[in-house]
Amino acid sequence: MNREISVVNQLRKNIEKQFGKDIQTATDCDNLVSLITRDCKTNISSQTLRRFFGLIKTTTRSSHFTLDLLSQFCGYGNFKEFRNACNNQELELFFGNSDNTNHNYWDRSEQLCQQIIKSPDLLVSTHHRLMSFPMARKYFMENHPLRDLLGSVYAQYFLAYLKYNTSNEAKIFAYGFLFQSSFLLQNTESMDFYYKKVK
């Protein structure tokens, strides 16, 4: 699932929690409009909320204004702040709780890398666990790519990374490592393929 869709789904759940029940009818949306207008001092149409909650079919995404306003209703400054809170929650779930958590995921990620280098079996279990945490996978891959494991099953991490990260920077990053892996394995066909992807 696209990360943005996952965050929007979480926003829907937070709104329903704030509202006190699931949003399933046009009347629910009308009542929610009243609450949002009262709490946020900004108007939003009931039809916009019906589209947001899937009561009206639409092919367009919610506007930044709508996402910001709904995030404010849930107690956040804007949608970016809500998204960051969701990301931090996922990173905390993956890297584990600690008594003195200052969200130092870089150190936790570094520790995980050291453990994987010492125990290759941990690589497989970490890979399976990372599949449930796309944000943690992105963070782990971007901050601690394990160059020493190129040419192994570790290369699959980069392919999984690309499922959720489709920017040009992400493609250059992942395909560059996959090219290096192909080089180490002396796989000229793959080298040509990944070279063209980077280019």
Side-chain angles (χ1 to χ4, degrees):
M1 180 185 291
N2 180 287
R3 178 64 190 164
E4 196 75 1
I5 293 171
S6 175
V7 173
V8 169
N9 286 339
Q10 186 59 50
L11 180 58
R12 286 188 187 102
K13 290 177 186 174
N14 282 34
I15 292 164
E16 289 176 333
K17 184 176 181 181
Q18 190 81 0
F19 184 62
K21 61 177 279 200
D22 291 349
I23 308 292
Q24 298 178 333
T25 67
T27 303
D28 291 336
C29 291
D30 292 339
N31 293 334
L32 182 56
V33 163
S34 299
L35 284 176
I36 291 172
T37 303
R38 183 196 72 198
D39 293 353
C40 300
K41 309 291 188 258
T42 305
N43 291 325
I44 187 170
S45 76
S46 182
Q47 187 170 3
T48 298
L49 291 178
R50 288 197 297 269
R51 279 195 297 271
F52 181 76
F53 284 98
L55 303 177
I56 297 175
K57 289 189 178 183
T58 183
T59 57
T60 59
R61 293 182 178 183
S62 297
S63 70
H64 290 293
F65 171 81
T66 299
L67 295 174
D68 284 345
L69 180 60
L70 295 175
S71 297
Q72 288 168 15
F73 178 68
C74 292
Y76 297 87
N78 53 38
F79 183 65
K80 182 178 180 182
E81 190 178 305
F82 178 79
R83 185 194 305 118
N84 289 340
C86 288
N87 291 345
N88 283 337
Q89 184 180 31
E90 182 177 306
L91 289 171
E92 193 62 47
L93 284 170
F94 177 76
F95 286 113
N97 297 319
S98 66
D99 294 335
N100 183 21
T101 180
N102 57 0
H103 302 297
N104 194 346
Y105 305 117
W106 198 92
D107 284 346
R108 296 187 208 179
S109 184
E110 175 69 19
Q111 291 169 358
L112 180 59
C113 285
Q114 296 303 320
Q115 292 169 349
I116 287 172
I117 289 168
K118 292 176 184 171
S119 172
D121 292 339
L122 184 59
L123 178 64
V124 176
S125 62
T126 300
H127 176 70
H128 289 298
R129 192 152 176 263
L130 276 170
M131 296 312 287
S132 301
F133 297 96
M135 188 60 208
R137 180 171 55 245
K138 178 180 187 297
Y139 186 91
F140 181 67
M141 294 302 296
E142 289 178 355
N143 290 282
H144 288 93
L146 295 168
R147 295 168 193 85
D148 294 346
L149 295 177
L150 286 174
S152 71
V153 69
Y154 180 69
Q156 292 178 9
Y157 275 55
F158 293 99
L159 295 173
Y161 168 84
L162 285 169
K163 289 181 183 178
Y164 295 92
N165 305 284
T166 57
S167 69
N168 286 336
E169 293 85 357
K171 290 176 184 176
I172 290 169
F173 167 74
Y175 289 134
F177 272 94
L178 288 166
F179 174 84
Q180 290 178 46
S181 177
S182 300
F183 175 80
L184 291 173
L185 294 171
Q186 298 180 354
N187 184 334
T188 54
E189 187 176 321
S190 290
M191 283 171 57
D192 289 341
F193 176 77
Y194 292 124
Y195 174 78
K196 288 175 185 171
K197 288 283 191 183
V198 170
K199 190 175 177 185

